[in-house]
Amino acid sequence: MSISQIAVIFIFVGTIAALIFSNKRPAGIFAASTLSLMLIQQISFDDILSNATNTGLVTLILLLIVSNSLDKTTFLKKLGRKIISTSYFASYAKLFGLTFFSSAILNNTAVVASLISSVKQNQLHPASKLLIPLSYAAILGGTVTLIGTSTNLIVDSFLIEHGHSGFEFFDFTIFGLTAGLICGLVLFFLTKLLPTFSGNKSNYTSYLLEADVEENSELIGKTVEQNHLRNLPELFLIEVIRNNKIISPVAPDMEIEAGDKLIFTGNIKHIDNIGHIKGLTMFAEADGLLGDNLTEVIISNRAPILGKTLKSVGFRALFDAAVVAIRRDGESISGKIGELKLEAGDFLLLATGNDFHRRQNISKNFFIVSEQKITQKLTPWQESITWTGFFITILLAALSILPLATGLLFLAAALVVCKITSIAEIKRHLPLNLILVIVGALCLAQGLESSGVLNQLTDFITPYLQTSSPIFALILVYLITLLLTEFVTNNAAAALMFPFAYGLVISMNLPLMPFALAVAFAASASFISPYGYQTNLLVFSASDYKFKHFAKVGTPISILYSSIVIGMLTWYYF
């Protein structure tokens, strides 16, 4: 074994050890391993650029960009509110079922990216009891069809490159559906092993927000619980004002009536969740000023408006601004926003008109603190464009009419043209850490192959396998792929193991399809490590999970899933 091969093995083992035992960011660890491989000349700068433009990675990035637009739609807002209910079993069942079956036809990473906010910020159950199940449901669902995960598409491309016709759309279904549903049932009982804590604590200060229930509101005649008003992300319904009387606390069985004023407290960045409810109008929205930019101000101690209410001073006409929310440090406030007497030091969140900053009275009354950015509400036309475009893109990809990456690129461009998203917003949501992890993992796999370490391993194992059972060879390919995917990501594991599996198939004169499926299923079976699969990375960064939490629940799921898949592949092909 040469010095360069020893160095590559050292880098590989060191990367795995750093991921498990250190507290460093995975992106930094993989970046360091990539630079180390470049330093010993096992990969070149061109190799890094090639991996950075890998079709699977580009497709993933485009899916995340598009999913940010899907997250703005009313459909997902309503869905997010309805997933979580008071019963943990019902919440788990709805979350797992929706995620599992959606991931079979939509990219599973995009599904998690769309649902993770609602799960993380629900107020009924600890987020830690649902986030890992969310990721596992997406992983399991992604193995049901060809397009559920990029791993399947990568193995499919390898098959085509080697002269095979490739996978059919439902070649995975009988295996993935059986394993997924059984594992989903067992996972419910294993959730008791998960820690109890919420998602990452949000760094925000609670504001008081007011919304009016209009005559055509979808909330009327249904209770607070039925309207899922307790499931709004980081927003809490604290009062209802009815006939000028304050009702507090608000009971879950209280029916909403037309004319009610709903008083919320919470994170102003999530006020779009109120705006998406049909027939619920926020205080500032009635003045026609509510947009996507808000201005936060503090009332001066010499302001002429001190001691007066917003209505009595004619706030809208006086400042060309409307109050979206209000907070008062050191004191709780309640009641109608328009009837609160203003005090020095009050924080106001303002939706401002074009003339606001030119008014001479602004500096006399306020100190401007900051500009706040909120998600702009989409029009019905924009929502139709978003969902129709997304489903057409997926359908064209499923029918092999248009590559998924190409379709998503054109869809992202259409979303920008229709002002559903913007170039600036795309930049803000670019998953840089995720890109570094995947590119680093692909470079690590390439280093193992280019240094000859992989070839030596194949040469060493093949003589022993030629006299053994084909089933043993299948199990070996599966287990090695499974081990790799936990540490070098699913795409890298698939890219690394397919050449090894193909070599065994040729040397032992075995059918290719079961081995290709074994690589695809094993590469997606990342349940033990948070770093091997994109969905695990998403929920890992959204909460305070540690490596041990994934290992504790993921190990029995991995064993069960692998046993079912290997058993069914053996039964079906041998």
Side-chain angles (χ1 to χ4, degrees), residues 174-212:
I174 187 174
F175 313 106
L177 193 62
T178 303
L181 293 179
I182 294 174
C183 288
L185 179 62
V186 173
L187 178 60
F188 171 74
F189 297 101
L190 292 176
T191 54
K192 296 178 181 179
L193 301 177
L194 291 171
T196 301
F197 48 71
S198 301
N200 284 341
K201 294 182 179 179
S202 299
N203 185 21
Y204 70 89
T205 306
S206 292
Y207 270 82
L208 196 72
L209 303 94
E210 176 184 320
D212 292 337

Side-chain angles (χ1 to χ4, degrees), residues 132-205:
I132 282 182
L134 170 65
S135 177
Y136 287 2
I139 293 172
L140 294 167
T143 64
V144 174
T145 65
L146 173 62
I147 65 170
T149 172
S150 59
T151 308
N152 294 350
L153 295 171
I154 286 176
V155 177
D156 183 62
S157 67
F158 277 121
L159 281 173
I160 295 172
E161 284 181 9
H162 287 81
H164 194 276
S165 60
F167 291 123
E168 296 295 333
F169 189 84
F170 295 109
D171 277 346
F172 298 84
T173 303
I174 187 174
F175 313 106
L177 193 62
T178 303
L181 293 179
I182 294 174
C183 288
L185 179 62
V186 173
L187 178 60
F188 171 74
F189 297 101
L190 292 176
T191 54
K192 296 178 181 179
L193 301 177
L194 291 171
T196 301
F197 48 71
S198 301
N200 284 341
K201 294 182 179 179
S202 299
N203 185 21
Y204 70 89
T205 306

Side-chain angles (χ1 to χ4, degrees), residues 179 182-187 554-565:
I182 294 174
C183 288
L185 179 62
V186 173
L187 178 60
T555 300
I557 291 296
S558 182
I559 294 172
L560 176 63
Y561 172 87
S562 300
S563 300
I564 295 171
V565 169

Side-chain angles (χ1 to χ4, degrees), residues 353-366:
N354 296 328
D355 198 42
F356 173 77
H357 289 284
R358 292 193 291 268
R359 295 287 174 98
Q360 299 298 319
N361 56 1
I362 300 301
S363 60
K364 296 178 182 178
N365 288 276
F366 310 118

Side-chain angles (χ1 to χ4, degrees), residues 289-290 293-295 319-322 350-357 371:
L289 289 176
L290 189 60
N293 284 299
L294 301 176
T295 302
F319 300 111
D320 190 28
L350 305 179
T352 59
N354 296 328
D355 198 42
F356 173 77
H357 289 284
E371 297 287 332

